[in-house]
Amino acid sequence: MKTVRFKATINNRPVDLLIAPNRRLLDVLREDLGLTGTKEGCGEGECGACTVLLDGRPVNSCLVLAPEASGRRITTVEGLAEEGRLHPLQEAFLEAGAVQCGYCTPGMLLVAKALLDKHPQPDERAIKTAISGNLCRCTGYAKIVAAIRLAAARLAGGKGAQAGSGCAKEQKGPGLPVSAGLRVVGKSPPRVDGVAKVTGCARFAADLKLPGMLYARVLRSRTPHAVLRRIDAAEALTLPGVVAVYTAADIPGQNSTGIIVKDEPVLVAIGGRIRRVGDPLALVVAESEEVAEAALAKIKVEDEELPAVFSALAAISAEAPKVHGNSNVQSVTRIKKGDAEAALAKAQVVVSRRYTTQMTEHAYLETEAGVAAVENDLLTIWVSTQNPHYDRREVARVLGLGQHRVRVVQAPTGGGFGGKLDISVQCLLGLAAWKTGRPVKMSYRREESIIASPKRHPFVIDYTSACDGEGRLLAVKVRIIGDTGAYASYGPATLKRAAVHATGPYEVPNVLIESFCVYTNNPTAGAMRGFGVPQIAFAHESQMDLLAQTLGIDPFTIRLRNCLKTGSLTATGQCLEAGVGIAETIRRVREKARELKMLEK
Ligand code: FES
């Protein structure tokens, strides 16, 4: 293979390598030089996680060919701390709480450094402009802006960094003895993993590298609904570097996963059903990621396409194509309190509306990734996850192993928001490592992550509210249809939660609620921040505004008139005996809104 010389100064050290001319700077830094503080988030120059400084200017290293950076001065996050001392920016990020999952942090620090090197006293607008190409899914940016201002002030005051640094101690953290509790309540103790994250020392799953490691990639369906007829991997297996191609027939245990219902295949079996675009069909294991990727294109798939359904409303009709079994209704939750129909019939004001909410992608900056290895009959999987104990049970079941032979280690997780509660790479990695006997790594590309990962459930909500002439709620009647996509995941629990919270923080004497978790051929929906509650909150709060508007009363007044109080009965009949703070919260919001002149009076 043709190679070119790559000579550069990286973090003040000379580097001299022979590399293929088409290598990205990001890959040379991470793979050849082990500088894994530079992260890959999208691979398309959109997220900024891979930012490095090239002759002092921030660039997305995923878009720079390494030969273009030859002869230049490169700074990565590992080069910020000097002589064992954190850079003031690193300190400020820790102090301001600007580090959460930490996946965006290296890129943020480097754009901030480039800014302060050029404009030591930037205003807020300049800071926001500087970081505008870097996405953060955790912090909301305010603390990042505050941290940059803090660092700028410190640098201007000539104060150097005080805290120590170093990868050797950063993973331990200070620890908090119980007796220290009173000293930390109301304060922000340092993150135990903060220093690791600001120095680039934290090892996320895709940063791990083991000797003799193989790489896995998944072949996914392109049809949303079909019967899988044939997989022919003969040509893929002839590619030099391909170690194996696994299909459902190679799974030694049970070929199914699912937190509530085991309805999702690890790999679709021949004769089995494809239920969405992105269903996994085959697993390629190869000596390099490039070879694994190339092999995917050599696998031939034959399927027999079936009619598909892409709307939950259509899916509940009797004629709709069935995704599982004889009905697309996966589960139903019903809540009845009093007599809603009778109360609606005699109410003075009745408001009915349909609300629809969209599917939402979690878009955590770190895509799904993991590494698996077998040693002494023990399978260990280091993985980006929110649910290691569940992962362990699923991997053991799929591989037909006792749980004592499976260990799952949660690697630092670059955002999850509920989306990493489901199985992603775990079972496939386990299969590959168990079968080959060698360590295996798999990490999703951004496109694959979006295709394969669960989403927030889209809802269709029909909501009717009734009140008297003073705005006192008399009844609500709600029907919620939630699209769980091809597999149940957390759908039944999400729809149940939506039903339980359908009356919001209000006391309603007569309630009739039905929620339906419905299968379609859409991407699977699972857990996401709020678990069905944000969707239904949009509906019940809109209803309160409409009732207030209809009656010509203040929206705060109608809420205060109806909100739950100590002694209230919820829609499910629970008596709230103490600690109900919603009225006080509404009053405080009203005061603040007045203070900010958001209200007329
Ligand atoms: Fe910014 Fe998580 S801290 S993406």
Side-chain angles (χ1 to χ4, degrees):
M1 186 200 288
K2 190 182 163 207
T3 55
V4 295
R5 191 128 210 190
F6 173 77
K7 282 178 82 168
T9 303
I10 302 182
N11 299 334
N12 295 324
R13 292 204 183 116
V15 168
D16 190 346
L17 297 171
L18 285 176
I19 58 167
N22 60 353
R23 302 278 310 282
R24 303 182 302 174
L25 177 59
L26 172 65
D27 298 327
V28 170
L29 291 172
R30 287 178 54 82
E31 288 162 24
D32 299 20
L33 300 169
L35 295 168
T36 53
T38 306
K39 306 299 180 198
E40 176 153 11
C42 66
E44 295 182 355
E46 295 295 337
C47 74
C50 66
T51 302
V52 299
L53 302 185
L54 202 54
D55 293 333
R57 292 188 50 186
V59 296
N60 289 313
S61 60
C62 71
L63 295 184
V64 177
L65 283 176
E68 292 178 281
S70 198
R72 318 271 293 267
R73 188 167 45 87
I74 298 164
T75 306
T76 71
V77 70
E78 290 90 346
L80 281 183
E82 285 179 3
E83 295 171 9
R85 292 187 153 227
L86 293 181
H87 187 279
L89 270 165
Q90 291 169 310
E91 281 203 316
F93 267 58
L94 292 176
E95 284 179 43
V99 182
Q100 288 192 28
C101 82
Y103 206 78
C104 71
T105 304
M108 287 287 184
L109 284 166
L110 288 163
V111 290
K113 179 168 190 318
L115 172 71
L116 297 191
D117 284 349
K118 208 165 167 197
H119 304 288
Q121 287 302 300
D123 59 16
E124 188 163 322
R125 194 182 167 136
I127 294 173
K128 287 182 175 171
T129 303
I131 64 171
S132 61
N134 289 59
L135 301 181
C136 176
R137 290 286 291 141
C138 305
T139 64
Y141 301 100
K143 289 183 175 179
I144 292 174
V145 172
I148 297 171
R149 294 193 87 144
L150 178 63
R154 290 225 174 120
L155 285 162
K159 283 190 201 158
Q162 300 297 315
S165 173
C167 292
K169 63 180 182 180
E170 87 284 343
Q171 303 274 13
K172 295 193 184 100
L176 288 175
V178 175
S179 60
L182 291 175
R183 295 200 304 274
V184 298
V185 171
K187 300 188 176 72
S188 296
R191 288 187 68 92
V192 293
D193 53 1
V195 175
K197 287 177 172 173
V198 296
T199 53
C201 296
R203 294 279 175 265
F204 290 76
D207 301 335
L208 302 173
K209 204 169 186 177
L210 296 177
M213 193 164 78
L214 299 169
Y215 296 81
R217 300 275 292 137
V218 186
L219 181 71
R220 296 185 179 278
S221 66
R222 294 183 180 178
T223 40
H225 201 192
V227 176
L228 180 62
R229 290 296 177 208
R230 200 169 79 93
I231 294 180
D232 179 356
E235 196 183 339
L237 285 163
T238 64
L239 274 188
V242 171
V243 174
V245 178
Y246 298 119
T247 64
D250 297 298
I251 293 173
Q254 294 174 38
N255 182 15
S256 63
T257 66
I259 188 82
I260 295 171
V261 185
K262 306 285 178 210
D263 61 357
E264 183 163 2
V266 178
L267 291 167
V268 178
I270 302 299
R273 197 96 71 84
I274 291 166
R275 295 187 173 90
R276 60 165 176 154
V277 170
D279 259 348
L281 308 180
L283 179 69
V284 175
V285 187
E287 298 287 349
S288 74
E289 209 169 354
E290 293 71 27
V291 172
E293 179 73 26
L296 292 181
K298 306 279 182 200
I299 300 174
K300 296 182 184 69
V301 173
E302 281 175 27
D303 60 25
E304 186 184 319
E305 201 160 348
L306 299 170
V309 58
F310 301 110
S311 136
L313 279 181
I316 55 175
S317 78
E319 306 76 46
K322 300 296 178 282
V323 183
H324 294 264
N326 299 324
S327 168
N328 289 326
V329 177
Q330 201 287 328
S331 62
V332 183
T333 302
R334 288 194 175 89
I335 297 171
K336 190 170 186 305
K337 175 185 172 192
D339 187 343
E341 298 288 6
L344 282 169
K346 56 184 182 202
Q348 272 176 274
V349 180
V350 177
V351 171
S352 293
R353 289 286 189 282
R354 169 167 286 185
Y355 300 91
T356 58
T357 66
Q358 76 282 21
M359 179 185 295
T360 312
E361 160 68 27
H362 300 76
Y364 22 74
L365 270 202
E366 179 209 28
T367 61
E368 296 79 353
V371 171
V374 180
E375 200 175 20
N376 299 328
D377 264 4
L378 177 70
L379 169 67
T380 302
I381 303 174
W382 296 265
V383 65
S384 176
T385 180
Q386 295 176 265
N387 215 351
H389 300 95
Y390 163 64
D391 297 346
R392 182 190 193 208
R393 289 196 298 275
E394 292 295 73
V395 171
R397 211 171 44 76
V398 167
L399 296 183
L401 299 172
Q403 285 186 40
H404 63 287
R405 290 172 74 187
V406 179
R407 188 167 71 115
V408 173
V409 181
Q410 181 183 17
T413 295
F417 322 125
K420 289 179 181 168
L421 286 164
D422 281 289
I423 291 292
S424 59
V425 298
Q426 296 86 331
C427 296
L428 293 168
L429 272 175
L431 176 70
W434 196 256
K435 287 270 181 186
T436 61
R438 287 172 63 181
V440 183
K441 178 191 277 194
M442 177 156 56
S443 88
Y444 287 177
R445 308 259 165 92
R446 178 57 59 185
E447 188 184 351
E448 184 176 19
S449 173
I450 290 173
I451 289 171
S453 66
K455 317 295 176 208
R456 188 195 289 286
H457 288 80
F459 279 7
V460 177
I461 304 164
D462 289 310
Y463 207 120
T464 299
S465 315
C467 65
D468 64 16
E470 305 295 314
R472 286 186 197 84
L473 284 169
L474 299 174
V476 301
K477 187 176 167 189
V478 189
R479 188 181 79 147
I480 309 164
I481 310 284
D483 181 354
T484 200
Y487 301 104
S489 175
Y490 285 83
T494 303
L495 268 296
K496 182 177 283 186
R497 188 69 68 89
V500 166
H501 289 273
T503 50
Y506 307 111
E507 184 161 18
V508 189
N510 300 289
V511 171
L512 186 59
I513 301 164
E514 284 186 309
S515 78
F516 300 84
C517 176
V518 178
Y519 286 124
T520 65
N521 296 110
N522 286 326
T524 303
M528 186 180 190
R529 289 179 163 178
F531 224 70
V533 177
Q535 296 96 313
I536 195 68
F538 164 55
H540 62 65
E541 291 309 314
S542 300
Q543 288 290 108
M544 294 304 278
D545 285 341
L546 288 170
L547 290 173
Q549 244 175 47
T550 308
L551 286 163
I553 59 175
D554 174 71
F556 284 98
T557 305
I558 196 168
R559 285 173 169 84
L560 284 167
R561 209 158 270 170
N562 290 286
C563 66
L564 295 164
K565 302 169 186 68
T566 300
S568 292
L569 274 188
T570 66
T572 51
Q574 182 190 356
C575 179
L576 301 176
E577 289 170 2
V580 186
I582 184 67
E584 184 58 21
T585 306
I586 292 171
R587 283 193 200 97
R588 292 283 184 93
V589 170
R590 182 167 59 183
E591 275 167 33
K592 195 71 190 171
R594 282 182 180 145
E595 198 182 304
L596 297 172
K597 305 206 183 319
M598 294 166 75
L599 294 178
E600 283 166 14
K601 50 182 181 167

